[in-house]
Amino acid sequence: MKTSFLRINMSLAGRGAATVLLGLALPAHATNGFNLIGFGAESLLMGGADVAVARDSSAINTNPAGLAQIHGKVFNGFGSVLRTLDLSHADQFGTDSHASNHFTLLGGGGYVQSLDSLPCAAGVGSFVQGGAGGVFRNFDNAFGTRDDFAAKFGIAKISFGMGCQVTERLALGGTIGVTYARIQQSLFRSTPGVGTDFNDADGMRPHFKIGLQYKLTPTITLGAAYTEKTKLSLSGGNLRFNTGFGITEYQDAKLEGLATPREFAVGAAWKPNDQWLLSAKVNWINWDDALNSSTLTARNPDGPGPAELSVSNRLDWSNQVVIALGTAYELNDKTTLYAGYNYGKNPIPRSHTTPFIAGILEHHYTAGAAYKFTPEWTFTGGFEYSPVVKVNYNNPELPFGNAQLRNEALFLHFMLSRQWQ
């Protein structure tokens, strides 16, 4: 089993807010590994080329230095609808099955206001960081039965950020907050002797991010952001094991070994005139340090079975360099058009590929528009298309033999913004 999560004592209110956010997002399908390519509609519709542009509340999660561009008060409510076009698994036992979960809704938002006494703006935001998962039903397996396997894995953040204009050209910013993650996972749970069903493991850990934006010339802005690794140790779960003589439930199950990765992004934005904005970003994602191996441990059985179960799995993800390009064109005073492209090579080795985390998408094409209804209200909407990727693999830690994983996705992104002076 290949997923891991986190648990730390947290307030009921904090856990409740994060659970509601993830309740919308599970399963959230991976894009750059298991990260989304951007956050907030403008970031996403510019292909994630946001580090030198960030200028709304989503800057809390992209580059907090960009918050210094906000004057007055801003609220952004953003969301996405994912249509899974082809999340499929095929293997040597005759299975060729599409995941039964075709639609996923993601949501988030942020509020930022400038500070009267300082050249700064500060705010709070909630973001679905990413995730993965699929539900595959009723297919033949290596044990001679027809059964299901499924995984639902999501990561959300609640963050507080501040950005300050420290000189005429330089802005600095920082973000602190909590990362919450949750997992549900089952493998052939009705098959005697092998079936498992792992549920309700979750956890919360602190995170931080820092960033800068520097205006090199009146038309060129440089940006950089650093995100620290956050370990995800998920506990408090339960595991049901089909012993062949009945179901034994282990009351103390946890999954350790995963983390959200360390990231370092640099970028530039060029505004040659009042209409055009061109942006680029290169983001290094340290998956190699974040996802090496995972260990599932279960104790305290309520029936026959070993006193403790422990299973370790190799992950061995590779580091990823993501290239993002984006453009915005102000058609008139009310309408802005967006387009973008994002590429990151699949970081998952063939020998450790799994349909539980189908983070194999590589190319992402985006387009959309923003329309300002009034000086206060703006609606932004568009799409992100990720063409099909096929990976042939044989993972010795999974009972699929020679197998193929396919993934193709279409996102619809939208954001409603309100600004006060």
Side-chain angles (χ1 to χ4, degrees), residues 356-375:
F356 291 125
I357 303 180
I360 62 174
L361 294 172
E362 296 186 338
H363 299 272
H364 312 272
Y365 304 91
T366 65
Y371 185 77
K372 183 174 289 189
F373 291 95
T374 71

Side-chain angles (χ1 to χ4, degrees), residues 39-40 42-43 54-60 66-67 70 74 76 112 415:
F39 304 91
E42 183 173 69
S43 166
R55 55 189 177 182
D56 58 31
S57 65
S58 66
I60 295 170
L67 296 173
I70 295 175
V74 172
N76 306 109
V112 176
M415 180 169 73

Side-chain angles (χ1 to χ4, degrees), residues 67-112:
L67 296 173
Q69 299 186 62
I70 295 175
H71 302 285
K73 304 173 183 178
V74 172
F75 168 78
N76 306 109
F78 36 82
S80 301
V81 177
L82 165 64
R83 173 62 166 96
T84 303
L85 301 178
D86 185 14
L87 178 57
S88 299
H89 166 85
D91 60 40
Q92 69 183 56
F93 303 104
T95 296
D96 193 342
S97 175
H98 190 287
S100 62
N101 48 305
H102 294 284
F103 291 93
T104 303
L105 176 66
L106 297 84
Y111 172 82
V112 176

